[in-house]
Amino acid sequence: MAKDIKAIKCPHCGSVQKTEVKPDFYRCENCGTEYFLDSDDVHIYHHHTRQGQPYVSSAESNSKLPIYILIGTIAFIAVAFVGVMLFSPKKEKSYTNYTNFKTPRMHYSNVVYENTATGDPIYLRIGADQIYSDNNKSEFEMHTQYVNAATGKIIEDRVMDGDYRKSLKCDLRFKTFQPDMTYAIGCNTTIFRLDTRNNQITDVTNSLFDAFPELSSGIAQIEFDYSKPMINIMNNEGTSFHYFPTLKVLVNSDEEASKIWESKFDRYYYSFGYLGNWTDDNKFNQLIENRYLSEIQKLSQRDLTPGRKYFNPEILYQDKENLLIKVNTTAANNSPISIQSINVKSGKLNWALPPDRYYLYSATKCKQGFAIEYRKDEEADYAHGVVVVSNEGKLVNNYQLGRTE
């Protein structure tokens, strides 16, 4: 069948001016309408595009649609954020003015003692807070803190004033001459009295020696004598003296001091030594009971625990009825330490705490039993504090502090 040849006209405007985009697809040059012929040349399909608009294919439009959606979403969020910022109520700006701050307290001295009014073990800690202000200046604030070691409760944290604060920064050495008479010396120049009833430490350097004109020039140096119950003093003129606090007696020679020591003081104490001949080849530590009667000036001694071997022993606490010692568990210098209670009558072991690695310092009797100050080493991150043990050797409380506390 013969086919008729017909001019293909634009279905929109009738123009025959066209451009073939691809086989059977055309675009009108007059109005921009796109149209195509079906396979049997019967139907004409068209897509009209307004004149003057750039041509964009449907495939390109679909590929750019997600981009348009993303851009629109971002624009919407930006507009919403600006709107919230513009129309939300404004809040007043507030600033915290940190005019000063404190570093951790630096501790210089510690001691545990029995409060003579309550019988509780008191842990005295002396230290300083270094306070910095916003003008780049700092000052030290000295503190004496009193803690009930049996409960861990802080009784008082007292700020100390006065020129003697510098002496408190030294490592104070304490000595008890009788239950209600404990002194401390700082920097070898200042002597303090510890009031064990009211939990208070006071500088008594001047008042303690008011009655002695020999010391009117002032104190140049002062220290405890650890073999006799006395204090050794040098005045500012370079003269040395010996002072017995319990007798309130001051002498200026070693001979006079020894005479008073031998004639005025009965002694009952324990020590580690050796009662045999010091030329013996196999000397060993013995726990010795010492009794001295000043009236007849005679010393009697006995081995309290005959046959027992001690490694690096020390007396931790003693009175007429109680004796605490510390010993290494083996002959090795770094072996764990055992705290032991010895029966002062029979020499038998009352109890022993589990061995541990620590350094032991001050110790006291208290109504709960005993309180012992300790400090551990690097392996325990330098934990320290006071352990309170009953008379039967049971743990009452371990008041433990961290390395920076």
Side-chain angles (χ1 to χ4, degrees):
M1 177 180 176
K3 292 185 179 180
D4 295 332
I5 299 174
K6 298 179 181 179
I8 299 175
K9 298 181 180 180
C10 173
H12 181 70
C13 66
S15 173
V16 295
Q17 302 297 321
K18 59 187 178 298
T19 299
E20 187 175 9
V21 178
K22 57 184 177 178
D24 295 334
F25 280 79
Y26 304 93
R27 182 171 63 246
C28 177
E29 298 292 344
N30 181 49
C31 67
T33 300
E34 290 182 18
Y35 55 91
F36 66 93
L37 304 178
D38 62 7
S39 60
D40 58 4
D41 295 329
V42 174
H43 299 288
I44 297 176
Y45 300 91
H46 67 272
H47 170 74
H48 174 67
T49 303
R50 287 187 180 181
Q51 192 172 2
Q53 288 185 337
Y55 165 74
V56 180
S57 69
S58 61
E60 291 175 346
S61 298
N62 290 337
S63 65
K64 292 182 178 180
L65 182 61
I67 298 176
Y68 296 150
I69 294 174
L70 176 62
I71 294 174
T73 303
I74 295 173
F76 175 78
I77 294 173
V79 172
F81 176 76
V82 172
V84 171
M85 295 297 293
L86 289 176
F87 296 104
S88 61
K90 295 183 178 180
K91 295 181 180 180
E92 295 292 333
K93 293 182 178 180
S94 61
Y95 301 93
T96 302
N97 186 18
Y98 294 98
T99 57
N100 56 58
F101 64 93
K102 294 197 296 185
T103 57
R105 181 172 294 177
M106 293 169 285
H107 288 94
Y108 301 103
S109 303
N110 307 298
V111 70
V112 62
Y113 65 90
E114 180 188 19
N115 181 284
T116 51
T118 65
D120 289 320
I122 306 300
Y123 191 32
L124 168 59
R125 310 187 70 211
I126 300 174
D129 290 341
Q130 188 172 13
I131 303 174
Y132 295 87
S133 60
D134 52 6
N135 59 1
N136 294 325
K137 293 183 178 180
S138 65
E139 61 178 3
F140 280 98
E141 186 177 78
M142 294 300 303
H143 287 253
T144 52
Q145 185 184 83
Y146 301 86
V147 182
N148 185 328
T151 63
K153 180 181 178 182
I154 296 177
I155 300 171
E156 188 168 2
D157 193 328
R158 187 178 297 124
V159 177
M160 305 297 289
D161 295 320
D163 295 337
Y164 60 86
R165 288 182 299 173
K166 293 181 180 179
S167 296
L168 285 172
K169 289 174 65 178
C170 294
D171 184 14
L172 266 62
R173 289 159 294 158
F174 292 82
K175 184 171 182 177
T176 298
F177 293 89
Q178 57 189 35
D180 59 348
M181 184 182 289
T182 298
Y183 289 101
I185 294 176
C187 299
N188 290 328
T189 57
T190 307
I191 184 166
F192 300 90
R193 178 158 185 172
L194 177 60
D195 184 347
T196 57
R197 175 172 290 272
N198 300 302
N199 298 325
Q200 188 169 355
I201 190 167
T202 309
D203 178 10
V204 294
T205 308
N206 295 322
S207 60
L208 186 63
F209 307 118
D210 278 347
F212 306 104
E214 302 96 320
L215 302 176
S216 60
S217 64
I219 304 298
Q221 187 171 333
I222 186 168
E223 61 184 8
F224 293 126
D225 189 299
Y226 288 97
S227 63
K228 301 179 180 66
M230 66 185 187
I231 301 172
N232 301 320
I233 305 167
M234 178 184 291
N235 65 12
N236 282 331
E237 296 174 346
T239 305
S240 296
F241 298 88
H242 306 291
Y243 178 68
F244 292 87
T246 57
L247 304 177
K248 297 183 179 179
V249 171
L250 182 74
V251 296
N252 62 1
S253 70
D254 294 341
E255 292 76 12
E256 291 180 279
S258 295
K259 186 180 294 186
I260 292 175
W261 170 233
E262 293 172 358
S263 61
K264 301 293 183 180
F265 291 91
D266 289 337
R267 301 192 288 278
Y268 183 86
Y269 64 99
Y270 301 91
S271 63
F272 283 100
Y274 183 65
L275 294 180
N277 192 322
W278 281 100
T279 61
D280 293 346
D281 293 332
N282 298 311
K283 295 188 293 293
F284 55 91
N285 287 304
Q286 295 175 322
L287 180 55
I288 302 171
E289 179 189 64
N290 303 274
R291 291 176 179 267
Y292 178 83
L293 297 177
S294 59
E295 185 177 358
I296 59 176
Q297 297 186 12
K298 182 179 179 179
L299 174 65
S300 61
Q301 297 177 305
R302 74 176 176 113
D303 184 355
L304 184 62
T305 58
R308 181 175 172 182
K309 183 177 290 186
Y310 297 95
F311 299 114
N312 196 25
E314 289 184 26
I315 303 295
L316 193 58
Y317 173 82
Q318 63 174 305
D319 58 36
K320 291 183 178 181
E321 298 176 351
N322 300 281
L323 175 60
L324 291 186
I325 65 172
K326 67 172 185 175
V327 295
N328 285 16
T329 51
T330 69
N333 290 330
N334 61 346
S335 66
I337 292 174
S338 174
I339 299 175
Q340 302 178 358
S341 170
I342 305 296
N343 189 301
V344 296
K345 294 181 179 179
S346 66
K348 293 182 179 179
L349 181 68
N350 290 328
W351 50 260
L353 296 184
D356 204 343
R357 296 183 184 276
Y358 40 32
Y359 302 96
L360 302 177
Y361 299 96
S362 58
T364 188
K365 188 76 177 67
C366 58
K367 70 180 181 182
Q368 291 84 359
F370 301 92
I372 306 159
E373 179 191 2
Y374 70 89
R375 179 174 292 274
K376 297 195 174 185
D377 58 15
E378 184 179 6
E379 291 184 2
D381 199 28
Y382 302 102
H384 58 102
V386 176
V387 61
V388 180
V389 185
S390 71
N391 291 316
E392 294 73 34
K394 303 297 183 181
L395 179 65
V396 175
N397 186 44
N398 183 6
Y399 177 65
Q400 187 171 95
L401 301 167
R403 101 159 48 188
T404 61
E405 296 180 282

